[in-house]
Amino acid sequence: MLHPVGPLPAAVYWRRRLLALGCAVGVLGGGGWLGAALASGSPDGDATVAAPSNDAARTTPGLEQVVPSLAAVQVPTAAPSSAPATSEAPAAEVPAGPTAGGPCGDDALGVEVRPDPASAPVGSKPTFQLVVTNVSPAACVRAVDAALQEIILIDGAGDRVWGSNDCFPETTVEQRTLQPGETVGFPVPWSGLTSEPGCAAGRTNPPAGTYVLRGRLDTKVSPDATFTLT
């Protein structure tokens, strides 16, 4: 066996033996692998790969075939408003007036001085009127004490010449209920002489000329009124 005999060279017989031996080893190895596979199941486990069906093999439809085009979808629009558009600004809020029967604030009152007559001779003793009006839409109450009423006389240079409370202030206490639009007049006499607060300075007749009368009821001040001494 180890020394082949034949007409061919010895190397040829060795190659044949090696080839036969390799085939035998391959057959034995394949048989062993097949036996192990049968004993333990499929080498890939029990999972099997299903062949693709005809439906899966079909081409997936494009997105535009599944979702309709946005241009083809009708979007509902809001119905046009029947109310006409306006650019007018909201009305400004009107300040609330006094409560009916409550106190009259300064905003609820109008105060003015009425010189009657509008002129008087130097040294005369005219009487002026302090007029108070409820300009609010509701009745209200206001203190009209004599000490709260005052009229002053101012010359052309802006200097105070006389004041009704300088020398003979009154101390009456009074409240008035003023109806809407109601006007009340309070007479204020003038001696025709100059004065200062407290009446400490000497008193004289102011000269002829044009003066200004300014009145007040407590904190509510009137506009100026013109008065002439002749």
Side-chain angles (χ1 to χ4, degrees), residues 35 45 49 57 61 66 84 123 131 152 167 186 189:
V49 178
V66 178
V131 180
I152 61 175
C167 295
F186 302 95

Side-chain angles (χ1 to χ4, degrees), residues 197-223:
C199 205
R203 306 183 69 188
T204 62
N205 294 118
T210 301
Y211 294 81
V212 166
L213 289 170
R214 184 179 301 159
R216 72 176 178 88
L217 176 64
D218 196 11
T219 55
K220 180 65 177 184
V221 180
S222 75

Side-chain angles (χ1 to χ4, degrees), residues 40-149:
S40 59
S42 173
D44 293 334
D46 295 335
T48 59
V49 178
S53 63
N54 292 334
D55 293 339
R58 294 175 184 173
T59 304
T60 302
L63 181 62
E64 64 277 4
Q65 297 178 2
V66 178
V67 180
S69 173
L70 292 178
V73 178
Q74 295 183 354
V75 179
T77 58
S81 175
S82 59
T86 178
S87 59
E88 294 181 1
E93 294 184 1
V94 179
T99 303
C104 299
D106 285 351
D107 292 340
L109 296 181
V111 176
E112 61 177 321
V113 177
R114 294 178 183 175
D116 188 17
S119 65
V122 173
S124 63
K125 298 178 179 180
T127 297
F128 308 123
Q129 290 284 331
L130 182 68
V131 180
V132 178
T133 303
N134 180 2
V135 297
S136 75
C140 56
V141 180
R142 181 77 178 213
V144 292
D145 303 353
L148 301 177
Q149 305 171 26

